[in-house]
Amino acid sequence: MQAHPDSFSPLGPLVGPSRRSHRMNTPAPALSLHSAVKRYGALTALDGVTLEIQPGEFFGLLGPNGAGKTTILALLAGLRAPDAGEARIGERPAGDPRARRELGLVPQGLALYPDLTAAENLEIFGGLYGLARSARRARTAELLQAVQLSDRRDSLVRTFSGGMMRRLNLAAALLHRPRLLLCDEPTVGVDPHSRNEIFELLRRLNREGVTIVYSTHYLEEASRLCSRIGIIDHGKILALGTQDELLERLPFEEEIRFPATAATAGLCADLAGLGQLATEDGLHRFRPAAGFPLSAFYLAAERRALPSRLFACARPSLEAVFLHLTGKSLRE
Amino acid sequence: MSPILVLLRKDVAQFRRDRAAMVFAFLVPLTMIILFGQINGVNGRSSMAGQLVGGWAMQFLLFVLVWSANSLFQEKDLGLFQRILSGPVPRSAILWSKFLYGAGFGLLQLVILFAAGGILFGLEILPHLPVLALVCFCAAAACSAFGMLLASLANTLEMARGLSTFCILLMSALGGAWFPVSILPPFLQHVSRFTLVYWSTLGFRQVLWERASLATLLPTIGILIAMAAALVSLAWWRFNRSQIFS
């Protein structure tokens, strides 16, 4: 999902005009971590993470809660310093005042003043970035329109729904037209409508040249949005690549889904040791081990007199990759 | 506009919306002043008037400013510091804005309550307004610094609330907010000199009862400024080692 040079934006660009030229002239990665280690007491939150994110990428950090996603974003945002290794924004160390101006952070919490209006919140955050009054007002109006909150500009934030707060949370990170956007689980607790609006806005920003790092534990979000994904667990990047590259790591190309009923229980027993069997929402997913032919599966099903209509082959998801890499489900 | 001013404006806007804080800052102390003024038969010709108004004003100023400093915990919990500090805003801007807001707000609260004292008890405010405002500002700055120190010492909002309630009531009693220090035992009279309430109420009495000149007031003002500087320095030092900005 790289920037599209001919993208048209009816609301005017959400990022400044100099972004693309900057991208073309900057050989360094937009963001990088080199052997970054971060410890909180006895807990090692990041264990030698090395990561490079190129300008214009929509990069996903996928992992369960406590995997180290937020710590990576905190290092890149300059909120914490690594105990070893380094974090860089372009060619500058993270935390450098000029690097901070290029960054927008969408924190996991709703980092808004609940007793102020939507417009007041945006004007305050714009003011903190040194925007002049007229620029602040214009930008506030533009962003409220972009997140479809223009009609609520003078409403107190504490009266907003969760989805509206999340949209405003995103808008508050865009006031200074950042070149890089760090999103820490920006759709937690959001209704599908608001989630889609957030996705659309992020896609548009990315088309306009903003490099986005998107942390999530929802694999559907990572696969829908991100051009490249890093799978993280226990403070380590386990795999890195496009969705196709990650799926290629699996020892099987397709998984077989069938209902989890009493009738199929015997088949499950037959399949033990022949691959991974996961059960979720009343559905078994059989992921065959390397070298196990699908024909053998159907033969086993036939022996159990199970009709073929029960079975469906499907392309595996990132969930299967996570399970393959860690031996556990992303939801565990 | 500097980040300190932006954050100051934010605090003012939040206060304007907070009716409970307005009631607690102005209406409640005014009620106490009227009530105890009636009980004690206070009038403008007695030294009790300045003592009464200044004492209650100081106690409620401390409560309001400590709560204001404690809002740092709420802002932390909301994730606001993450957003603010990921931008080009230093931690010191957050702390300075809280301190200046407290000092400015305290000045306003004290002046309004003294003006009410003038109307209710005939306290002569206008002839001494500039000097009184100066003492009020120094007292408010010391209170603001004290509130920040308490917030910096606590690890959680609950701990800060408990600690501050205890310290404010103790300091108000010892410092002469409720009754003149002269009725305390000699040992406690010495202890009271370590409280900012003592020096603030002394300053109010010097201005309103003794009609002291600025030169006479300088030691009192100097001590209040020194207290504010020491408390705010300690608070800064503590905040830099605490987890509140992490």
Side-chain angles (χ1 to χ4, degrees), chain B residues 1 40 63 72 76 107 123 131 144 148 163 176 182 185 217:
Chain B
M1 193 188 289
N40 295 315
F63 273 119
L72 286 168
K76 180 205 172 186
L107 173 64
L123 271 176
V131 189
S144 184
M148 296 196 67
L163 186 66
S182 55
L217 275 168

Side-chain angles (χ1 to χ4, degrees), chain A residues 75-113:
Chain A
L75 296 192
L76 291 171
L79 293 171
R80 292 177 187 276
D83 295 318
E86 61 174 355
R88 299 187 79 80
I89 305 299
E91 290 171 349
R92 299 189 183 105
D96 177 281
R98 283 169 297 177
R100 286 178 189 275
R101 287 191 175 275
E102 296 184 358
L103 267 175
L105 175 69
V106 185
Q108 194 172 355
L110 293 162
L112 300 164
Y113 294 101

Side-chain angles (χ1 to χ4, degrees), chain A residues 47-128:
Chain A
D47 191 3
V49 169
T50 295
L51 187 63
E52 288 192 346
I53 298 163
Q54 301 305 320
E57 267 198 282
F58 200 134
F59 184 84
L61 266 176
L62 178 66
N65 292 330
K69 305 186 296 291
T70 299
T71 304
I72 286 183
L73 297 187
L75 296 192
L76 291 171
L79 293 171
R80 292 177 187 276
D83 295 318
E86 61 174 355
R88 299 187 79 80
I89 305 299
E91 290 171 349
R92 299 189 183 105
D96 177 281
R98 283 169 297 177
R100 286 178 189 275
R101 287 191 175 275
E102 296 184 358
L103 267 175
L105 175 69
V106 185
Q108 194 172 355
L110 293 162
L112 300 164
Y113 294 101
D115 293 323
L116 299 182
T117 67
E120 284 171 338
N121 265 281
L122 294 189
E123 291 206 17
I124 283 166
F125 295 122
L128 291 175

Side-chain angles (χ1 to χ4, degrees), chain B residues 49-60:
Chain B
Q51 165 81 31
L52 179 78
V53 177
W56 283 107
M58 279 303 292
Q59 183 177 323
F60 280 87

